[in-house]
């Protein structure tokens, strides 16, 4: 007998299944009419004008179609043979880390935890379906011959191509899908008897399922793909199969041309030297480009869940190069991607690493203090580091702290919380048998937060349409994943994201010292992205309520990456500056003034107000000069370790 939860999960999918079942007969008839010389054509029609694609197919094309079919079969057989030579467990693991369908499994698992009567009002759904069909079909029946396809009641950019409106079957297909998606989303909002977290999980699960079931993701329900397939005689599918097999081999969805960039040449190319190294990180110092430099150096702590060169993309986009050109002596920590040797690494180790880097720079340049930047998780850690230094009476080692999209209070931490209940934590633990979490899992997690844009869009473009990958530096960085120490990762998710202990004074300790954020009196600059879905602006704002020193808050346009990496020369986006003492983010926004372009110069002005003294760029301000022993050229080995 079927399990009740399994029955519910199956029932929840029935409207989508029914959508494709009902459309099946219509689509088969339509395709039959489309073939040249088809007997299904209406009286008086010939094969060339009977259907949507009939004029594209000729009798002489069969050899090309046969060739494409043979190519597809051969590629898949070769891939299958390769897979059989691998250990079954490794092959399974690699496939699971890549496979977008894993998010269907996660979503269905969330659905199973919900009441059996979660989705109700089937009568209303049936009524709305009938009304939609009458509405859409009526528009085509009433359309005078020769006029453009009629406007439809629901719009979505996935269905913007005119092909979705040119034939009533495809119009009805995607309009029915959009109606069903709205129905499920509204049902979640109206559902009673769910706590806040369960409701959020259900909203995410429904969205993930709806995105996966979109008719544009499938060959036979996407008219754009069908047209391309006929135009290219199937060669788009051959190219798409090549992309798919390559991704299956590497265990990761590809977003960009992997051969377009080389670290140290056209990415992470700002001149500098590795001046210090530990088993956990390398410290890179960049060569000055000005005669004089600010006396207080800048130490940047990027997140270890990604590569540091997000701040050193192409020269025109590089925050590091821009900062060097403004006269800052810039140091950046390049974290090592985790392997089996890092199985015992915990948060204390990253905090000690930040303190160690700060001390090394102070000693190297013989300065009493440094400016610091912490980005994302490294910003969260920087807050803990500042609190520990304050508790130890060493707060003066840091002149100022800047936080790029960093959270310390996780109550409003956004969509990532959907992956942090006990069942998800257990699953993550199972993915780390060697003491580290494969970075491809984390990449898939972030992709799932925007599945429409970062998963299914590429399934359509690269697998179905067979399009080549673009050369895009940001997407190259996004796919250049790092592994994470499993113990640190589990503690971070459990203690900070789930239990929100960092904002509870002395609830956490690191390196033998209790952590109390209210002891931080260091001047702080806090930047948030208005459209950030990883570290929502409302969550980042909460830091202003926990620090005791002077705080300046800035709200940047765009999100977690583009909101930070926005060079002045690009003249893009905007930022808002308001009352950082406001009682809420909403009040801050009401008080704020909008400014066009990059916020970097505004931040530099704030930094200069902390200390404007300058010194000649001599001695060890120039790494690798006479008498200065260095390890290697920037960007160093660690950032290239896979």
């Amino acid at each position: 007998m079927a399990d009740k939860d399994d029955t519910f999960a199956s029932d929840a999918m029935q409207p989508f299944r029914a959508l494709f079942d009902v459309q099946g007969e219509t689509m088969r008839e339509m395709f039959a009419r489309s073939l040249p010389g088809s007997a299904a054509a209406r009286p008086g029609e010939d094969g060339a004008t009977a259907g949507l694609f009939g004029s594209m197919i000729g009798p002489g094309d069969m050899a090309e179609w046969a060739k494409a079919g043979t190519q597809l079969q051969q590629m898949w057989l070769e891939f299958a043979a390769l897979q059989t030579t691998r250990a079954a467990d490794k092959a399974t693991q690699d496939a699971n880390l890549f496979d977008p369908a894993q998010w269907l499994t996660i979503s269905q698992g969330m659905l199973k935890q919900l009441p059996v009567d979660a989705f109700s009002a089937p009568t209303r759904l049936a009524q709305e379906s009938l009304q939609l069909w009458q509405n859409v079909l009526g528009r085509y029946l009433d359309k005078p011959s020769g006029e453009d396809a009629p406007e439809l009641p629901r719009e979505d950019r996935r269905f913007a191509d005119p092909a979705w409106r040119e034939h009533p079957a495809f119009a009805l297909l995607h309009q029915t899908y959009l109606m069903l998606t709205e129905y499920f989303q509204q049902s979640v909002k109206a559902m009673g008897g769910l706590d806040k977290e369960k409701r959020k999980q259900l909203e995410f699960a429904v969205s993930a399922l709806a995105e996966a079931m979109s008719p544009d993701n499938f060959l036979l329900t996407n008219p754009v793909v069908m047209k391309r397939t006929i135009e290219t005689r199937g060669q788009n599918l051959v190219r798409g199969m090549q992309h798919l097999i390559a991704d299956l081999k590497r265990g990761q969805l590809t977003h960009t041309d992997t051969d377009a960039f080389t670290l140290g040449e056209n990415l992470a190319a700002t001149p500098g030297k590795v001046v210090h190294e530990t088993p956990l990180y390398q410290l890179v110092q960049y060569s000055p480009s000005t005669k004089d430099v600010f006396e207080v150096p800048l130490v940047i702590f990027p997140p270890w869940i990604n590569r540091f060169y997000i701040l050193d993309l192409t020269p025109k986009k590089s925050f590091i190069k821009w900062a060097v050109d403004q006269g800052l002596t810039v140091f950046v920590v390049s974290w090592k991607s985790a392997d089996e040797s890092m199985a015992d690494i915990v948060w204390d180790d990253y905090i000690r690493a930040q303190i160690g880097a700060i001390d090394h720079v102070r000693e190297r340049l013989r300065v009493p203090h440094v400016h610091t930047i912490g980005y994302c998780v490294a910003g969260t850690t920087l807050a803990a580091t500042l609190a520990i230094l304050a508790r130890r009476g060493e707060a003066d080692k840091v002149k100022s702290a800047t936080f790029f999209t960093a959270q310390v209070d996780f109550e409003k931490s956004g969509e990532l919380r959907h992956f942090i209940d006990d069942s998800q934590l257990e699953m993550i633990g199972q993915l780390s048998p060697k003491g580290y979490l494969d970075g491809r899992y984390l990449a898939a997690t972030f992709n799932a937060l925007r599945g429409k844009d970062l998963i299914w869009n590429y399934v359509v473009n690269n697998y179905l349409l067979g399009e080549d990958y673009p050369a895009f530096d940001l997407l190259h960085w996004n796919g250049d994943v790092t592994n994470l120490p499993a113990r640190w990762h589990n503690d971070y998710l459990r203690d900070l994201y789930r239990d929100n202990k960092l904002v509870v004074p002395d609830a956490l300790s690191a390196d033998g010292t209790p952590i109390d954020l209210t002891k931080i009196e260091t001047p702080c600059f806090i930047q948030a992205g208005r459209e950030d879905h990883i570290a929502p602006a409302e969550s980042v704002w909460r830091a202003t309520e926990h620090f005791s020193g002077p705080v300046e808050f800035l709200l940047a346009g765009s999100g977690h990456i583009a909101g930070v990496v926005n060079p002045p020369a690009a003249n893009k986006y905007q930022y808002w500056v308001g009352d950082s003492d406001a009682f809420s983010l909403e009040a801050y926004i009401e008080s704020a003034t909008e400014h066009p372009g990059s916020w970097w110069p505004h931040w530099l002005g704030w930094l200069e107000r902390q200390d404007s003294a300058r010194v000649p760029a001599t001695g060890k301000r120039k790494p690798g000069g006479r008498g200065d022993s260095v390890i290697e050229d920037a960007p160093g080995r660690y950032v290239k370790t896979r």
Side-chain angles (χ1 to χ4, degrees):
M1 182 175 178
D3 182 88
K4 184 171 71 171
D5 288 338
D6 291 332
T7 301
F8 164 68
S10 177
D11 289 345
M13 295 296 296
Q14 282 303 323
F16 284 109
R17 292 196 182 101
L19 163 66
F20 293 110
D21 289 342
V22 170
Q23 290 295 333
E25 291 301 323
T26 304
M27 302 296 282
R28 278 191 287 273
E29 180 181 355
M30 181 189 73
F31 298 144
R33 295 179 187 277
S34 300
L35 296 175
S38 169
R42 294 189 182 96
E45 292 180 337
D46 60 32
T49 60
L52 190 58
F53 310 111
S55 61
M56 301 180 185
I57 304 175
D61 296 331
M62 294 307 297
E64 293 293 333
W65 284 101
K67 179 182 177 182
T70 301
Q71 289 176 303
L72 288 168
Q73 183 183 40
Q74 184 62 32
M75 281 190 292
W76 187 254
L77 288 174
E78 290 176 358
F79 174 70
L82 176 64
Q83 290 298 89
T84 59
T85 65
R86 298 181 175 181
D89 57 344
K90 185 177 186 302
T92 301
Q93 181 184 11
D94 288 348
N96 286 342
L97 286 167
F98 153 75
D99 191 356
Q102 69 175 299
W103 302 108
L104 289 178
T105 303
I106 291 174
S107 300
Q108 289 172 334
M110 292 177 178
L111 285 172
K112 288 182 180 182
Q113 301 176 37
L114 300 167
V116 174
D117 61 349
F119 295 112
S120 58
T123 302
R124 179 171 64 85
L125 176 61
Q127 292 173 343
E128 292 181 3
S129 299
L130 181 60
Q131 291 173 359
L132 175 70
W133 283 53
Q134 291 174 337
N135 186 348
V136 172
L137 292 177
R139 297 182 187 217
Y140 283 86
L141 292 173
D142 296 338
K143 181 179 73 71
S145 178
E147 285 194 3
D148 293 337
E151 294 299 318
L152 298 172
R154 290 172 173 82
E155 294 183 359
D156 187 291
R157 59 187 174 84
R158 288 171 292 180
F159 310 109
D161 192 286
W164 288 101
R165 301 187 301 277
E166 288 172 354
H167 195 286
F170 285 119
L172 193 57
L173 180 67
H174 85 266
Q175 287 291 303
T176 303
Y177 161 77
L178 292 174
M179 182 206 68
L180 286 170
T181 300
E182 289 178 7
Y183 166 76
F184 278 116
Q185 291 172 340
Q186 291 168 1
S187 295
V188 173
K189 289 183 171 65
M191 193 181 302
L194 288 178
D195 63 34
K196 183 178 179 181
E197 290 306 315
K198 284 293 184 185
R199 187 182 303 278
K200 290 291 186 182
Q201 282 197 354
L202 180 56
E203 288 176 353
F204 176 81
V206 167
S207 294
L209 283 169
E211 289 169 358
M213 295 298 291
S214 175
D216 72 319
N217 297 334
F218 304 97
L219 169 62
L220 292 181
T221 54
N222 186 328
V224 180
V225 174
M226 293 183 68
K227 278 187 174 182
R228 179 72 60 85
T229 301
I230 292 172
E231 290 169 350
T232 67
R233 297 174 177 83
Q235 287 302 306
N236 61 305
L237 300 181
V238 173
R239 291 192 299 271
M241 180 66 79
Q242 292 171 338
H243 296 325
L244 173 61
I245 290 176
D247 285 355
L248 288 171
K249 287 179 179 179
R250 68 194 292 261
Q252 186 180 352
L253 190 68
T254 298
H255 293 117
T256 187
D257 182 356
T258 56
D259 297 324
F261 300 100
T262 302
L263 296 188
E265 295 182 10
N266 53 2
L267 286 180
T270 302
K273 304 289 183 180
V274 176
V275 298
H276 179 60
E277 178 177 308
T278 77
L280 188 56
Y281 70 91
Q282 289 188 315
L283 185 64
V284 183
Q285 180 184 354
Y286 290 91
S287 303
S289 61
T290 57
K291 183 179 179 181
D292 295 325
V293 294
F294 286 98
E295 183 177 16
V296 181
L298 173 66
V299 184
I300 301 176
F301 299 108
W304 48 89
I305 60 177
N306 297 107
R307 308 284 177 176
F308 82 83
Y309 64 87
I310 183 58
L311 297 175
D312 193 22
L313 294 171
T314 57
K316 291 182 179 180
K317 295 180 181 179
S318 172
F319 175 83
I320 290 172
K321 182 181 186 305
W322 177 86
V324 168
D325 290 344
Q326 309 315 304
L328 286 164
T329 302
V330 177
F331 292 80
V332 173
V333 167
S334 174
W335 303 103
K336 184 180 179 181
S337 180
D339 56 26
E340 294 181 46
S341 69
M342 297 171 62
D344 294 326
I345 293 292
V346 293
W347 202 29
D348 304 51
D349 296 291
Y350 285 102
I351 292 172
R352 279 193 291 267
Q354 289 193 344
I355 295 173
I358 289 168
D359 285 341
H360 185 87
V361 172
R362 291 172 57 245
E363 293 168 7
R364 175 177 171 80
L365 299 185
R366 301 183 184 278
V367 294
H369 40 232
V370 302
H371 295 303
T372 56
I373 292 177
Y375 192 165
C376 188
V377 62
T380 305
T381 305
L382 179 60
T385 296
L386 295 176
I388 288 173
L389 290 175
R391 179 64 67 83
R392 295 175 177 175
E394 300 175 350
D396 58 351
K397 290 183 177 181
V398 178
K399 184 70 175 180
S400 76
T402 296
F403 297 88
F404 290 172
T405 63
Q407 303 171 95
V408 298
D409 186 330
F410 289 81
E411 182 183 0
K412 302 287 186 179
S413 56
E415 293 171 320
L416 276 177
R417 288 177 64 91
H418 306 328
F419 296 93
I420 308 169
D421 61 13
D422 289 339
S423 62
Q424 303 303 324
L425 290 173
E426 181 181 357
M427 182 188 72
I428 292 170
Q430 294 172 352
L431 291 171
S432 312
K434 297 182 180 180
Y436 66 91
L437 180 68
D438 192 310
R440 291 172 294 181
Y441 172 82
L442 196 66
T445 301
F446 286 120
N447 288 345
L449 296 180
R450 288 294 178 269
K452 186 189 303 184
D453 298 322
L454 294 177
I455 296 178
W456 303 111
N457 176 55
Y458 290 90
V459 168
V460 174
N461 288 339
N462 302 122
Y463 298 164
L464 298 181
L465 292 174
E467 294 180 353
D468 293 329
Y469 295 105
F472 189 8
D473 54 357
L474 185 59
L475 288 178
H476 178 91
W477 166 85
N478 187 60
D480 191 2
V481 300
T482 57
N483 303 328
L484 301 178
R487 285 188 60 189
W488 166 80
H489 187 245
N490 288 336
D491 291 346
Y492 177 73
L493 295 181
R494 186 174 287 106
D495 291 341
L496 275 65
Y497 262 97
R498 190 188 69 179
D499 299 338
N500 201 22
K501 290 182 178 180
L502 184 57
V503 294
V504 180
D506 297 346
L508 295 175
S509 296
D511 199 26
T513 303
I515 299 171
D516 181 356
L517 299 184
T518 65
K519 293 190 176 297
I520 298 175
E521 297 181 357
T522 303
C524 293
F525 186 101
I526 301 173
Q527 176 269 339
R530 189 163 190 173
E531 288 84 41
D532 194 334
H533 62 278
I534 295 173
E538 184 179 5
S539 182
V540 174
W541 166 264
R542 292 288 188 91
T544 67
E545 302 171 2
H546 298 289
F547 299 163
S548 298
V551 172
E552 177 155 344
F553 184 88
L554 179 143
L555 185 64
S558 197
H560 197 68
I561 303 302
V564 173
V565 185
N566 183 25
N571 197 29
K572 293 176 63 178
Y573 306 125
Q574 66 284 105
Y575 65 94
W576 292 264
V577 177
D579 180 10
S580 296
D581 294 322
F583 62 87
S584 68
L585 176 62
E586 183 178 356
Y588 173 90
I589 293 174
E590 290 178 358
S591 72
T593 301
E594 181 178 338
H595 302 270
S598 172
W599 56 270
W600 294 0
H602 179 89
W603 167 80
L604 183 66
W606 176 86
L607 199 70
E608 192 167 7
R609 290 194 295 274
Q610 310 310 310
D611 193 318
S612 61
R614 290 181 177 255
V615 296
T618 58
K620 290 190 176 180
R621 298 278 177 165
K622 291 184 175 181
R626 180 178 298 179
D628 184 23
S629 177
V630 298
I631 297 172
E632 59 188 343
D633 289 339
R637 303 186 318 281
Y638 282 14
V639 74
K640 299 176 183 179
T641 302
R642 299 294 172 262

